[in-house]
Amino acid sequence: MSAPTPAALRAAAWRTLEKARTVQAALDRLGFVQADPIRSPARAQDLTLMARVPGYRAGDLERLYPGLDAEEDMLPNYGFVTRRVQALLHPREVGVTRTEQEHPELLDEVRALLAGREEVHPREVAALLGRGRVVNAWGGQSSASTRALDTLHRRGEVRVTRRVSGVRLYGPAPHLAALRASPLPEEERLRGAVHLLAALYAPLPEASLGYLVSLSHLGLPHLRGELRAAFRQAVRGELAGAVVEGMRYVWPAESAPQDAPAPRGVRIVGPFDPLAWDRRRFAHLHG
């Protein structure tokens, strides 16, 4: 089969905008929806779902979340995943954090506070445990107890139960405890993560998939080298690909770009949408 044209690649990229009947159906299809707290013009997760779920309104994901097969977690970035995808990410080994270095007993105190509770609000934890403030991931200041909750969340010891006015509430995560006791095989986890990214952003330049895989050390920090090896295996023997105008593209073998129907109409998407996220592809295909 001959290499696809740029027009065929553009049409194939539009597949990500296929309509889903419900928020859950959209999450199941995408696997990962990037989140962002900035509300101007709207939060990234709402813009992504609004482009795919008819009748979606800002805040619907937050409102429906407690009843969805959805978890907040990290893959290439922070966002929402289904539990099937989350099973690829845990157990997760995370090094000692700055919060632990500055407050070595705080995590155990937060664990004790969570014991026997269905959920806690960070403000409640801060009021009970105090400990001042520490530098957060953005260079600003956060409550040390809130950072401790974030650390336990990243390690899979707690989950986000819901949000109240954008603030995450936390509770026990028995499904992640089960994964710590009996995880999926490492090869299945690594291959699954790479192929999820390839399907979500395909067709995309091989270099862009490599960048997404490198970002995914956030989700699989202790398997960084193994993740790169899984990426090399995928592009060499598992994904389809071709050179288009001097740039090598890859895509899942079952999703040939030449089969995609030409897109019609006009869509408005946010900068974190899978259609627009990769600037390399966007510039090449759209100028």
Side-chain angles (χ1 to χ4, degrees):
M1 183 180 292
S2 60
T5 63
L9 293 176
R10 284 194 293 272
W14 269 60
R15 285 171 171 160
T16 185
L17 291 173
E18 289 178 0
K19 296 296 184 181
R21 291 193 307 110
T22 64
V23 172
Q24 185 66 65
L27 290 170
D28 291 340
R29 180 181 298 163
L30 295 168
F32 168 77
V33 173
Q34 184 169 338
D36 192 271
I38 298 173
R39 297 172 181 264
S40 298
R43 289 175 296 187
Q45 57 268 36
D46 286 330
L47 289 171
T48 298
L49 292 171
M50 197 175 294
R52 293 163 175 80
V53 182
Y56 185 93
R57 293 293 180 266
D60 280 355
L61 176 59
E62 184 176 297
R63 179 178 60 82
L64 296 171
Y65 175 84
L68 295 173
D69 172 14
E71 298 287 338
E72 295 196 29
D73 213 318
M74 300 187 80
L75 187 53
N77 299 290
Y78 192 86
F80 296 83
V81 298
T82 61
R83 287 197 174 184
R84 178 185 64 81
V85 173
Q86 193 179 42
L88 304 175
L89 308 175
H90 293 269
R92 176 185 292 146
E93 297 176 18
V94 180
V96 176
T97 65
R98 182 170 181 171
T99 303
E100 292 172 277
Q101 292 173 342
E102 296 181 3
H103 306 282
E105 287 138 19
L106 181 56
L107 258 65
D108 283 338
E109 293 176 4
V110 174
R111 291 185 183 103
L113 182 62
L114 281 162
R117 300 189 183 213
E118 291 188 2
E119 67 178 16
V120 295
H121 193 293
R123 196 162 48 239
E124 175 189 8
V125 178
L128 291 171
L129 300 181
R131 289 297 194 289
R133 307 183 76 77
V134 295
V135 176
N136 60 33
W138 304 101
Q141 295 285 317
S142 294
S143 162
S145 57
T146 297
R147 296 298 298 158
L149 283 167
D150 290 342
T151 297
L152 292 175
H153 178 221
R154 192 171 179 213
R155 288 179 177 167
E157 295 186 48
V158 301
R159 63 179 294 265
V160 175
T161 56
R162 59 192 175 107
R163 292 190 181 212
V164 176
S165 300
V167 176
R168 291 173 292 201
L169 276 62
Y170 297 89
H175 69 291
L176 295 180
L179 283 174
R180 285 196 296 276
S182 181
L184 295 176
E186 185 176 288
E187 181 180 358
E188 180 179 341
R189 295 172 62 192
L190 295 165
R191 185 177 185 276
V194 173
H195 280 257
L196 170 70
L197 296 171
L200 179 59
Y201 295 96
L204 79 169
E206 182 179 316
S208 297
L209 179 59
Y211 177 55
L212 281 163
V213 168
S214 69
L215 285 179
S216 296
H217 77 271
L218 297 170
L220 295 158
H222 61 297
L223 297 173
R224 185 179 301 195
E226 293 86 345
L227 193 59
R228 293 295 302 178
F231 161 70
R232 290 192 293 270
Q233 173 63 32
V235 298
R236 289 173 183 169
E238 297 170 359
L239 301 173
V243 176
V244 180
E245 295 185 340
M247 188 175 295
R248 178 165 175 77
Y249 277 77
V250 293
W251 56 84
E254 66 275 11
S255 302
Q258 294 91 327
D259 298 335
R264 300 180 63 182
V266 176
R267 303 289 183 90
I268 298 174
V269 297
F272 296 141
D273 193 281
L275 185 64
W277 185 90
D278 179 26
R279 304 300 190 263
R280 179 186 289 106
R281 181 182 76 173
F282 201 84
H284 179 222
L285 296 184
H286 299 282

